[in-house]
Amino acid sequence: MLNYLHSRSVQREFSESQPELMDLPNQDEKALRSDLEHIARLNGAFGGRRAVERLFHQLADPNSRLLLVDLAAGYGDHGRNLIARAREGRGEVTVVAVDFQFQTLRIAREATPPGEKMFFVQADARRLPFRDKGADLAFCSLALHHFAEKDALTVLQEMARVARRGLACADLARSRLAALGIWLLTTFIMRDPMVRHDARLSVRRAFTAGELTSLARRAGWPGLRQINFFWFQQAVLARVDASTRT
């Protein structure tokens, strides 16, 4: 970590031979559930949940009926929160939670109240099993850094293919300050071994604002906007123009 902080440039460090622990198959389910619950608590405490809500409200009428695809949904906490927020008004949100790991989907399903308008699909975010413009919105939160650059581009292209109204991708923003903040957080507060390993690796794998914006532009996102949030988080979003819908 000290070598990373003292390096002259903050290059992205990504290697498929060094995955995050939560991405490995056949994890100890108790440890994986604990890791996912920790991430959900961090989303609530450090603004990740509010950031996704903000993106949702900028892209959609909360009083309408919407179908949202949540890529790399993890614990499913963002989807459940958006469903609840819509229920408070006059809207209705149905969420299709997509994740590559079956264990993760099973834990997310167990955390979801019966009857919730949330469906779980095991699929690769680079090859979504949905028709073109089949959903209103496509979201991806805190997951793009799990992919090599070429695969991240493919994920963003798939999002643009399936969404007819809006797109949003939120993630960490790579910097020395972010790396220091994550190191302090996982040294003194969130000391779970899996959380510590994955969080420290995640911030080194994350894209800068310029890199994320460039990827979304190359993926064909229309009317692209970039937003910075507190606690080393960022997002790109795009509202699909009515003239481009099929």
Side-chain angles (χ1 to χ4, degrees), residues 62-100:
N63 295 319
S64 60
R65 291 187 175 185
L66 299 166
L67 175 62
L68 184 149
V69 174
D70 184 12
L71 273 68
Y75 194 54
D77 49 306
H78 287 307
R80 288 189 293 272
N81 182 57
L82 292 177
I83 291 171
R85 298 289 79 78
R87 189 182 294 126
E88 292 172 356
R90 293 179 297 173
E92 181 179 287
V93 176
T94 299
V95 174
V96 178
V98 177
D99 205 281
F100 188 67

Side-chain angles (χ1 to χ4, degrees), residues 177-223:
L177 183 59
L180 177 60
I182 294 296
W183 185 84
L184 291 171
L185 178 68
T186 55
T187 298
F188 298 107
I189 301 176
M190 307 293 287
R191 294 184 289 179
D192 176 270
M194 187 181 293
V195 172
R196 181 187 298 119
H197 175 276
D198 286 0
R200 294 179 180 183
L201 185 58
S202 291
V203 74
R204 299 198 300 272
R205 289 176 151 204
F207 297 98
T208 64
E211 291 167 349
L212 181 57
T213 301
S214 175
L215 280 170
R217 187 173 292 115
R218 288 163 55 195
W221 285 31

Side-chain angles (χ1 to χ4, degrees), residues 18-33:
Q18 188 183 15
E20 295 186 35
L21 296 179
M22 69 181 304
D23 290 335
L24 296 173
N26 303 315
Q27 279 287 339
D28 176 82
E29 192 149 316
K30 183 178 179 181
L32 179 59
R33 179 178 286 104

Side-chain angles (χ1 to χ4, degrees), residues 130-192:
F130 309 128
R131 62 183 176 86
D132 293 0
K133 308 304 178 187
D136 295 298
L137 304 170
F139 276 30
C140 180
S141 179
L142 289 180
L144 202 68
H145 65 268
H146 288 251
F147 296 92
E149 182 176 336
K150 62 180 178 62
D151 291 326
L153 176 62
T154 302
V155 171
L156 296 175
Q157 289 171 332
E158 280 290 272
M159 293 175 68
R161 180 182 66 80
V162 302
R164 57 177 172 262
R165 292 194 183 187
L167 312 157
C169 179
D171 208 343
L172 297 169
R174 188 180 78 249
S175 70
R176 290 189 182 87
L177 183 59
L180 177 60
I182 294 296
W183 185 84
L184 291 171
L185 178 68
T186 55
T187 298
F188 298 107
I189 301 176
M190 307 293 287
R191 294 184 289 179
D192 176 270

